[in-house]
Amino acid sequence: MEQYKKEFIEFMIDCNVLKFGDFVTKSGRKTPFFVNTGFYRTGSQLKRLGEYYAQAIHDHFGFDFDVLFGPAYKGIPLSVAATIAISEKYDKDIRYCSNRKEVKDHGDKGILLGSPIQDGDKVIIIEDVTTAGTSIQETLPIIKAQGDVEVGGLVVSVDRMERGQGEKSALTEISEKYGMKTTAIVTMAEVVEHLYNKPYKGKVIIDDELKKAIDAYYDQYGVK
């Protein structure tokens, strides 16, 4: 596992973004782990988060695209932080764009924030976590409505590695249904590999009991 992935897993724990316990996902699944990117709250945290996303985008997509689109609301700071990091670290100037939940009818009118999307643009979507792939169904029509646009990929922070609407993983379903590449900074398998029975700051995060709960979750919701 690459060093930046290990660092990102520890970064999520330090920021209280990756939690273990009893939670319910947006899709109604009871889960022993939860990722909430709303807990990235400071400038330094967002700076680092953008750098991790930039690295994942670099490794899996390169920078042959024009716009990084972050769906409202959580995708807005993600798209901003990642495009800044791409500019600083890789000297590539990618435009950022997000949508509003409500169309604005005065001043800067329309549904988009940041850069307009134009015919011929190549777009990568940036999100926090994809569990069942529901949010992408809302995001794609907004992007496609802007013109003759190529949506080349989706990058998330954590691949939860569970089934989407059918028997395949949510990211695989999105990839096949919409013809785009998908990637994550880390997968839950990598999280478990890095944390299971290994102390971090003097504490074992994933012990045998929690590992059993995670395994049981994947027996129910994992890819068969």
Side-chain angles (χ1 to χ4, degrees), residues 61 65 122-125 149-154 179-182:
F61 300 122
F65 66 98
K122 295 179 181 177
V123 179
I124 298 292
I125 300 170
V149 176
E150 177 189 333
V151 181
L154 166 69
M180 67 172 78
K181 288 171 65 177
T182 58

Side-chain angles (χ1 to χ4, degrees), residues 154-168:
L154 166 69
V155 58
V156 300
S157 60
V158 181
D159 178 1
R160 288 182 57 102
M161 298 178 65
E162 57 196 80
R163 294 198 308 277
Q165 311 292 333
E167 294 301 309
K168 295 179 180 178

Side-chain angles (χ1 to χ4, degrees), residues 174-206:
I174 290 167
S175 180
E176 292 181 355
K177 184 173 182 180
Y178 302 110
M180 67 172 78
K181 288 171 65 177
T182 58
T183 193
I185 303 173
V186 293
T187 66
M188 272 309 296
E190 289 169 332
V191 170
V192 172
E193 176 192 336
H194 186 54
L195 296 178
Y196 178 46
N197 277 344
K198 296 173 189 169
Y200 175 62
K201 293 187 175 177
K203 182 183 176 186
V204 172
I205 309 286
I206 301 180

Side-chain angles (χ1 to χ4, degrees), residues 28-80:
R29 298 172 180 176
K30 290 184 179 179
T31 172
F33 55 90
F34 197 72
V35 180
N36 184 358
T37 57
F39 275 85
Y40 296 117
R41 290 176 170 168
T42 70
S44 62
Q45 288 172 350
L46 283 173
K47 184 176 189 294
R48 283 189 66 187
L49 178 63
E51 289 166 355
Y52 289 123
Y53 268 110
Q55 177 94 48
I57 292 167
H58 170 268
D59 289 358
H60 295 278
F61 300 122
F63 296 119
D64 182 24
F65 66 98
D66 306 291
V67 178
L68 189 62
F69 186 92
Y73 289 101
K74 286 184 179 177
I76 297 173
L78 299 182
S79 61
V80 172

